[in-house]
Structures are given as C-alpha cells and as structure tokens.
Amino acid sequence: MTGTSVSNTSHALNHVAIIMDGNGRWADSHGLIRSEGHRQGTKNLREVVKAFADEGVSFVTLYAFSKENWQRPRNEVQNLFDLLVESVAQNLEGLHQDGVCIQHLGDKNNLPYEVREAIGHSEKITQGNYHVTLSVAFNYGGRAEIIEAVKKIVKDSIAFSDITERVIEDRLYTSAIPDPDLIIRTAGEKRLSNFLIWQSAYSEYYFTDVLWPDFGKADVQKAIREYKNRKRKFGALES
Ligand code: IPE
Ligand code: IPE
Ligand code: MG
C-alpha cells in the first residue's frame, strides 16, 4: 500500500510499529536476570495496544523476535519462545475482548511447534475482530521478507515489464496492512535492525530512552503528540 497510494493527510496516524528494545537493560538495572526483563516486557502489551486504539490507531505492529536474535545464547532464545507461548495464554482473552485481531509477520518455518501453535491459535480466535490489528513480528527479518517476495514473483512467472511496487508489496508479509506512519524504538538505540525496511520508506521515527518494560500509556501519548508536530511531505512540496 505504498507508492502512488500515499495519502497527503500528513497527520493521519493509522499504523504504529514498535521496536521493543531494552528488556535486558531493564533487568540489569533492577538486578535481575535477562529473562525477567523479557517477562516484564510482555506485561504492558494490552495497555499499549489499547492506548493506541483509544487514539484512533487501527494497526499496531510489535517487533518481538528478529531473525538475527537466533544468534543469542540458546537459553535466551528458548526463553523468548516460551514467553511468546505464555504471553498468548495470558493476553489473548483480554486482547480478544478489546476487539484486537492478531496476525503474525515473519517466517513460521523454523519455529518450534508450540510457538507455531500459539501463533496459529491467537490468529484463529481473533480473526473476526476489527477494532485494531495487532501484528506480531516474530522470527521476522526485513531482508528475508524481500527475498521471499522475489522468490514468489519468480514462481508466479511475473513478466519483467509487469514488476511494480504493488507486485512486490502484495508478496510481503504485510500485504494486508498499510505502511507504518510512525516507528517507535525504545531504549535509546537509533536503528531499524532489519525491521520493515521496505515499508518504512516514508515512516516517521520516534526514539525514546525509556526501556520497553517501562513504556506505557503516557509514553504512547507523548509519541503521538510529537508525531502530530511533524510535517510529512512524501517528496512533494509543502502545501
Ligand atoms: C528487546 O530487548 C527484546 C528482544 C530483542 C527480543 P533486548 O533483549 O534487546 O534488551 P537489551 O537491548 O539487551 O537491553
Ligand atoms: C531488535 O532489537 C529486535 C527486536 C526488538 C525484536 P535488538 O536488540 O535485537 O537489536 P540490535 O541487535 O541492538 O540491533
Ligand atoms: Mg536490544
């Protein structure tokens, strides 16, 4: 949904994507082990999604596990998988009540059975909800996503002269959702870390030093206020 379809309503905030960073540092600063930081980082999910929905945001995307996160120690990777399963068990009912439709972005292939089951279950239970779409990027990599799209294009025998932005977008994990208007990254780092690299072409960025487990409703409102002060031009002149 990019390219020529870009809207010129510069303050519309339809889709917010979040790089949830700083769980490890949060644990460190509380004298806890990293897994406690990751656990704490699942407790604010419903509040944050609800806070965005209350502000009229229809799409929220969370970066929960990157393809590159496999490089972490085995026990941390396993802990993140366990937490995804636990978090679905704990949050699914509340999110469902809030009218949230959950969808997964990423590669399901090499994830353990329990993780695939938890994702599939949450997608199935919430598929009829339309208040807000919550996309969970888990085992997600932006470059891998583009490679997958290119492979599909070849498989679909699309002619060279028919390749357009739309042809690529239709084959990304995000084909059903608009590009993010705002990308938030917590914990002070200022990089994308392979997140939505195609879709972020014209996104606004908001960086905060707040560590993800401490991020709550007030931070949501602060980010939105800042976004509303930005001028988006999409390459055109200001009107
Ligand atoms: C974000 O927190 C969660 C994941 C990347 C899975 P980190 O684990 O990256 O926390 P820091 O960066 O070490 O503080
Ligand atoms: C990005 O955070 C991935 C997620 C939030 C899931 P990282 O902590 O893995 O990113 P880098 O390694 O600091 O770039
Ligand atoms: Mg990090």
Side-chain angles (χ1 to χ4, degrees):
M1 290 199 195
T2 37
T4 48
S5 64
V6 155
S7 143
N8 63 0
T9 51
S10 69
H11 288 153
L13 182 54
N14 202 20
H15 181 183
V16 178
I18 309 176
I19 302 169
M20 307 184 291
D21 200 12
N23 293 351
R25 278 162 280 177
W26 184 92
D28 245 18
S29 70
H30 288 77
L32 299 167
I33 51 171
R34 290 181 61 83
S35 59
E36 289 304 319
H38 293 313
R39 171 163 287 109
Q40 192 67 24
T42 64
K43 293 190 177 158
N44 53 354
L45 293 178
R46 189 177 173 198
E47 177 196 344
V48 168
V49 173
K50 195 167 182 309
F52 278 116
D54 288 348
E55 297 287 339
V57 173
S58 304
F59 298 89
V60 177
T61 298
L62 301 175
Y63 199 12
F65 185 79
S66 75
K67 283 243 173 205
E68 290 71 28
N69 288 147
W70 284 97
Q71 297 170 70
R72 295 188 179 196
R74 251 176 93 150
N75 66 338
E76 176 156 349
V77 171
Q78 186 57 49
N79 173 243
L80 290 166
F81 292 163
D82 293 344
L83 266 179
L84 183 280
V85 176
E86 197 181 303
S87 171
V88 165
Q90 273 168 14
N91 287 305
L92 184 59
E93 203 179 310
L95 291 168
H96 187 40
Q97 273 169 23
D98 295 344
V100 177
C101 173
I102 298 173
Q103 68 156 42
H104 172 244
L105 304 180
D107 184 2
K108 284 195 181 73
N109 282 327
N110 51 353
L111 290 172
Y113 174 79
E114 318 79 72
V115 174
R116 280 184 281 130
E117 276 288 300
I119 292 171
H121 178 63
S122 60
E123 287 179 326
K124 196 166 157 220
I125 296 286
T126 64
Q127 65 186 352
N129 295 339
Y130 52 84
H131 185 51
V132 49
T133 297
L134 172 63
S135 304
V136 181
F138 198 93
N139 199 23
Y140 172 89
R143 289 183 176 178
E145 179 181 35
I146 293 170
I147 290 171
E148 284 307 308
V150 171
K151 285 183 179 169
K152 287 178 196 157
I153 288 169
V154 173
K155 204 167 161 220
D156 293 345
S157 309
I158 310 275
F160 177 84
S161 55
D162 289 337
I163 307 251
T164 59
E165 289 189 9
R166 184 66 194 269
V167 165
I168 295 172
E169 284 156 11
D170 284 348
R171 288 161 180 80
L172 298 175
Y173 300 129
T174 51
S175 60
I177 60 177
D179 289 342
D181 298 298
L182 177 65
I183 295 183
I184 295 174
R185 183 165 187 150
T186 59
E189 311 304 337
K190 295 177 180 65
R191 53 179 172 264
L192 268 184
S193 302
N194 204 13
F195 187 45
L196 301 178
I197 55 176
W198 170 282
Q199 300 86 339
S200 61
Y202 271 102
S203 302
E204 296 293 323
Y205 292 87
Y206 176 83
F207 299 109
T208 171
D209 288 337
V210 173
L211 304 175
W212 173 252
D214 292 328
F215 193 89
K217 193 173 171 160
D219 302 293
V220 166
Q221 286 163 349
K222 204 167 159 206
I224 292 178
R225 268 201 306 280
E226 172 152 343
Y227 173 81
K228 303 246 170 181
N229 283 325
R230 305 273 179 94
K231 276 202 170 60
R232 302 181 73 186
K233 298 194 291 179
F234 302 102
L237 296 180
E238 281 178 60
S239 52

